[in-house]
Amino acid sequence: MAFLFKTTLKTQHHRLLRRTFIAAKIKWVRDPYLDEAVSKEKNLKPLLALKTLILSAPCKTLPAAVAAVNKPQFRLPTTALNFFHKYPSVFRIFQPKPLSTPHVRLTPQAIALHNEELAVHASPERLQEAAERLAKFLMLAGARRLPLRIVDCFRFDLGLPDNYITGICCDFPEYFQISSGNDPELLDLELVSWRENLACSVLEKRARNGNSDIRKGMRIAFPMFFSRGFDLQKKVKDWLDEWQNLPYISPYENGFHLNPNSDQAEKWAVAVLHELLSLMVSKKTDRDNIFCLGEYLGFGSRFKKALVRYAGIFYVSNKIRTHTVVLREAYRKDFLLENHPLMGMRHRYIHLMNKSEKMRYQNADFLNKSKQDCKGDPKLGNQAVSCGRRVSGRTG
């Protein structure tokens, strides 16, 4: 596969103004560790969305048919009923009355986890952190405002609670306000005022740690990690080294005045994308979210090009029925380096989900053993089948 990379010009001044291209064959290499990091969260988002839907019902129970209506919105990989059966450690299916439509509620273990998650979100430290993360997210948009539909796309990855509009936004009126957008029928989330104390990227903060000489426009390089087996041609490596040596323009500065076809403008676009992923609690998000935000902010295809050209900074995984963009430096193999409390809660949900597979195997073994014990006696065999069905219904 051939991608276009830029070659150096005679002076770095020219790199700030323009760029030329060379054809370089770059072999895309899969990263099994980062794929595994993405695959661990398979079905987590739809499961948590269904959990929220069930708990929003007055009786904390829901007809399975109601959940089925939300299949496209929640991206369920199968029917809602089959999804509930797949995770008996999280969902309990029952019939309120004989022959009535199936209903679903959460198991006690799932409710306990949910309550712990609420406590994490409600702690003063987490509330302040979430407010600052959301503020920085809005500051990446030059106008300090974004449509709520775009913010909602990033809500899960930003670590915001389901009720962040009535919660965080109302708890921090000095930070946020809801305003009318360009479309009268749609609303925007707006940052009330620019917060200079937050206008520092993760790379700037890291570079300034113990170094008082770091100033705006200093040369800061992006950490790069390549998959095993990834090989750069020498001309591409030389170009990357010179590109890294360009001045670093903060993602919280407006770089749209730069020539969009210049190396400097591209480094600024990469800085915005790098900071965006750094704000995510899992340091990853759906590629569609990035493209949607980039299109709205006016980056056009620059985010897409950045994901292709800078494989040492970003990795795109095609696992779990979507494309997920991962910030490479945030992981060592498949482990996330930053131990965020919300990620700890999500890992506990995943652990509970994995218990479902063990429960299904136990029920299947019980049913098979019952059939074998009753083999040769039709009456006992029928009782075993009936018993197995009751066990399946009780867990599933």
Side-chain angles (χ1 to χ4, degrees):
M1 184 179 295
F3 297 132
L4 293 178
F5 278 87
K6 295 163 288 192
T7 185
T8 182
L9 297 176
K10 289 184 178 180
T11 66
Q12 192 179 74
H13 174 70
H14 288 105
R15 294 181 68 93
L16 304 180
L17 302 177
R18 56 175 297 189
R19 62 188 176 195
T20 57
F21 294 92
I22 57 174
K25 291 185 177 181
I26 303 296
K27 180 182 178 182
W28 182 81
V29 178
R30 182 179 297 280
D31 193 312
Y33 294 115
L34 294 181
D35 280 342
E36 176 62 20
V38 172
S39 298
K40 285 178 183 178
E41 297 186 10
K42 181 180 180 182
N43 293 335
L44 177 62
K45 283 186 181 180
L47 182 138
L48 294 179
L50 286 170
K51 178 207 71 170
T52 300
L53 183 65
I54 293 170
L55 292 176
S56 67
C59 297
K60 312 302 180 188
T61 66
L62 201 68
V66 173
V69 176
N70 293 276
K71 179 182 176 181
Q73 179 185 352
F74 294 165
R75 296 184 181 181
L76 294 180
T78 182
T79 65
L81 198 57
N82 285 343
F83 193 85
F84 293 140
H85 277 295
K86 183 177 177 65
Y87 297 106
S89 58
V90 180
F91 303 109
R92 186 69 50 83
I93 299 176
F94 68 100
Q95 291 179 301
K97 297 179 182 179
L99 303 181
S100 65
T101 182
H103 281 55
V104 63
R105 61 173 175 256
L106 297 180
T107 62
Q109 298 95 322
I111 293 175
L113 266 186
H114 171 75
N115 290 334
E116 288 187 50
E117 183 183 12
L118 290 181
V120 170
H121 279 298
S123 69
E125 182 182 0
R126 294 280 81 79
L127 282 173
Q128 182 67 38
E129 180 200 32
E132 291 182 358
R133 187 184 300 112
L134 181 56
K136 289 169 75 75
F137 178 68
L138 294 174
M139 288 167 65
L140 289 178
R144 304 195 318 272
R145 61 192 296 164
L146 286 170
L148 280 174
R149 62 177 178 83
I150 292 181
V151 180
D152 285 341
C153 290
F154 288 91
R155 182 200 64 77
F156 178 83
D157 297 317
L158 281 168
L160 302 177
D162 297 315
N163 65 339
Y164 74 94
I165 296 177
T166 58
I168 294 176
C169 295
C170 291
D171 291 340
F172 293 86
E174 70 278 17
Y175 277 66
F176 311 107
Q177 65 181 15
I178 305 296
S179 58
S180 299
N182 296 329
D183 187 335
E185 297 183 0
L186 299 177
L187 296 175
D188 286 358
L189 180 61
E190 183 178 1
L191 190 65
V192 174
S193 61
W194 184 264
R195 296 191 164 267
E196 189 61 32
N197 64 310
L198 299 179
C200 180
S201 73
V202 64
L203 285 184
E204 288 176 306
K205 184 177 180 181
R206 197 179 300 162
R208 290 174 181 172
N209 186 22
N211 189 347
S212 58
D213 293 333
I214 294 295
R215 302 180 305 275
K216 284 189 176 182
M218 295 290 287
R219 288 161 176 77
I220 300 177
F222 294 93
M224 285 196 173
F225 301 88
F226 294 96
S227 303
R228 180 177 296 179
F230 190 93
D231 188 26
L232 282 176
Q233 295 182 21
K234 185 179 184 304
K235 55 185 176 181
V236 176
K237 186 178 184 304
D238 291 342
W239 175 85
L240 276 175
D241 290 341
E242 294 195 18
W243 179 84
Q244 289 272 41
N245 199 40
L246 288 174
Y248 175 88
I249 298 180
S250 172
Y252 297 105
E253 295 182 44
N254 188 344
F256 281 111
H257 65 281
L258 298 168
N259 180 352
N261 295 319
S262 67
D263 290 339
Q264 187 66 74
E266 186 162 282
K267 186 168 184 179
W268 175 67
V270 171
V272 174
L273 185 51
H274 181 279
E275 181 69 4
L276 174 66
L277 288 170
S278 297
L279 292 176
M280 309 293 115
V281 293
S282 62
K283 313 307 177 188
K284 56 182 169 51
T285 190
D286 286 356
R287 187 181 64 178
D288 288 345
N289 293 345
I290 290 176
F291 289 170
C292 178
L293 177 64
E295 189 66 30
Y296 179 82
L297 295 181
F299 282 94
S301 62
R302 283 195 269 177
F303 279 175
K304 182 177 181 179
K305 291 177 181 177
L307 295 181
V308 171
R309 292 173 179 163
Y310 302 97
I313 304 174
F314 313 111
Y315 177 71
V316 182
S317 172
N318 59 3
K319 296 296 182 179
I320 62 173
R321 307 178 302 277
T322 187
H323 289 86
T324 305
V325 181
V326 184
L327 185 63
R328 281 186 176 274
E329 69 188 67
Y331 286 82
R332 287 298 176 268
K333 294 188 175 181
D334 58 330
F335 295 102
L336 183 64
L337 296 179
E338 183 179 311
N339 186 21
H340 194 281
L342 283 177
M343 290 306 298
M345 290 303 307
R346 290 176 187 178
H347 291 155
R348 292 178 63 186
Y349 276 113
I350 293 171
H351 180 69
L352 183 61
M353 292 165 66
N354 292 338
K355 282 186 176 180
S356 296
E357 187 173 358
K358 183 178 180 180
M359 292 173 64
R360 290 198 305 273
Y361 283 140
Q362 288 175 340
N363 293 338
D365 290 343
F366 176 81
L367 180 58
N368 291 335
K369 186 175 185 303
S370 299
K371 288 180 179 179
Q372 291 173 1
D373 292 344
C374 302
K375 190 174 182 180
D377 190 328
K379 291 183 179 180
L380 291 177
N382 290 335
Q383 290 175 3
V385 172
S386 176
C387 178
R389 286 173 179 166
R390 289 198 298 273
V391 169
S392 176
R394 185 167 63 248
T395 60

